[in-house]
Amino acid sequence: MKPSKPLAIIILGVQGSGKGTQAKMLIEKFGLEYISSGDLLRARKKKKDFTGAKIGRVIDRGLRVPTPVIFKMWMDKLEEFKNKKRFKGLAVEGSPRTVPEAEMLELALDWYEWKNKKVIYIDISLKEAVWRLTRRRMCRKCGRIMPFVGEFRKMKKCDKCGGELFTRKDDNEKAIRNRLGWFKKEVMPVINYYKKRGKLIRINGEQLIEAVFKDVLKAVK
Ligand SMILES: [Zn+2]
């Protein structure tokens, strides 16, 4: 199953939906490039200039970096992908976070002439999200997050480095409900934006990882 045109896959879902796991599986299967605003911000923060320093302050205060700053990084990354010799496509996860970002992403993908677009929504109920997020764990050594799904549930140590697993302080129910509230307010309109345009592919995220992936593959075909 080899797509002829470069794929542009946008994966949406609430925290705990397993969208990160699905993105990774897709990237491996199709040899895609990956865009994560979180990774880009962490890298940009290290640059010693005004924006680098300010990103650090903004994130520390729990605020969000505004869209123009994010998009500057995005466009640079997309340009880099476009100029790659063997570019097979890209997967976007954790973005767009708002409708204006979704609109800008559409324009950006159009600019680079990537027409083989798929928007996948890994749907789980908010109740299920709270259940999973209060139970997920993090590796003390390498920071890897172990979602509360599939075989991760049984792991006693980090599968990457053998580090100890613990529950993060900000994974208590109140903090999680706050984060989910933000999802409902900001990201649900994004999901509706794609739905209205007939572009949204909804997948039941409350299945085993493999079953979800099977549905994802069907959607990408
Ligand atoms: Zn680890």
Side-chain angles (χ1 to χ4, degrees):
M1 196 169 55
K2 268 214 176 118
S4 47
K5 278 185 287 177
L7 270 169
I9 306 176
I10 299 163
I11 305 173
L12 301 166
V14 74
Q15 262 190 329
S17 63
K19 63 182 190 309
T21 306
Q22 295 298 325
K24 264 182 214 123
M25 289 163 87
L26 270 174
I27 287 159
E28 269 169 39
K29 177 140 186 116
F30 296 110
L32 305 177
E33 305 293 335
Y34 177 57
I35 283 201
S36 142
S37 295
D39 290 350
L40 289 175
L41 283 170
R42 273 186 288 278
R44 186 62 184 82
K45 206 174 104 176
K46 287 182 191 142
K47 209 167 158 190
K48 299 224 175 333
D49 61 4
F50 176 82
T51 293
K54 188 153 181 178
I55 285 173
R57 290 200 305 273
V58 167
I59 291 177
D60 289 345
R61 285 162 59 202
L63 302 171
R64 276 185 292 152
V65 175
T67 299
V69 180
I70 302 258
F71 254 79
K72 166 76 171 69
M73 300 187 295
W74 274 60
M75 292 306 278
D76 291 346
K77 203 76 193 162
L78 295 178
E79 182 70 27
E80 195 187 306
F81 293 162
K82 188 69 187 178
N83 291 302
K84 276 201 165 182
K85 282 251 158 58
R86 278 192 200 87
F87 177 69
K88 290 177 183 152
L90 73 149
V92 179
E93 185 243 316
S95 290
R97 309 168 301 175
T98 59
V99 171
E101 280 188 12
E103 285 165 345
M104 283 175 81
L105 181 58
E106 287 295 291
L107 292 172
L109 294 175
D110 283 348
W111 174 256
Y112 287 109
E113 299 164 12
W114 291 321
K115 293 188 182 79
N116 196 7
K117 259 183 294 189
K118 303 281 177 190
V119 184
I120 293 169
Y121 173 40
I122 313 283
D123 192 9
I124 65 170
S125 68
L126 290 184
K127 205 178 145 200
E128 175 77 13
V130 172
W131 160 263
R132 288 184 187 182
L133 289 171
T134 46
R135 280 160 187 81
R136 72 173 181 180
R137 296 166 301 166
M138 193 181 196
C139 171
R140 217 179 273 286
K141 241 164 122 185
C142 73
R144 178 167 159 76
I145 289 171
M146 316 288 273
F148 195 72
V149 285
E151 57 200 56
F152 291 116
R153 295 164 75 142
K154 289 175 230 142
M155 278 177 193
K156 298 239 156 62
K157 279 180 179 166
C158 175
D159 60 338
K160 285 272 142 72
C161 76
E164 185 201 345
L165 301 176
F166 73 106
T167 305
R168 299 197 308 186
K169 248 201 229 122
D170 60 341
D171 276 349
N172 64 58
E173 193 162 335
K174 195 173 162 243
I176 285 165
R177 288 207 180 269
N178 271 337
R179 263 140 61 198
L180 296 179
W182 167 75
F183 179 86
K184 249 181 153 171
K185 197 173 139 241
E186 301 274 8
V187 189
M188 275 320 279
V190 173
I191 287 160
N192 289 328
Y193 166 88
Y194 288 116
K195 202 182 198 171
K196 263 186 244 151
R197 281 157 186 78
K199 280 186 188 156
L200 192 79
I201 304 163
R202 187 200 157 271
I203 284 168
N204 175 11
E206 294 186 19
Q207 319 175 69
L208 291 173
I209 292 176
E210 295 73 25
V212 176
F213 193 55
K214 224 171 149 185
D215 287 350
V216 169
L217 287 181
K218 250 185 258 163
V220 168
K221 245 194 235 172

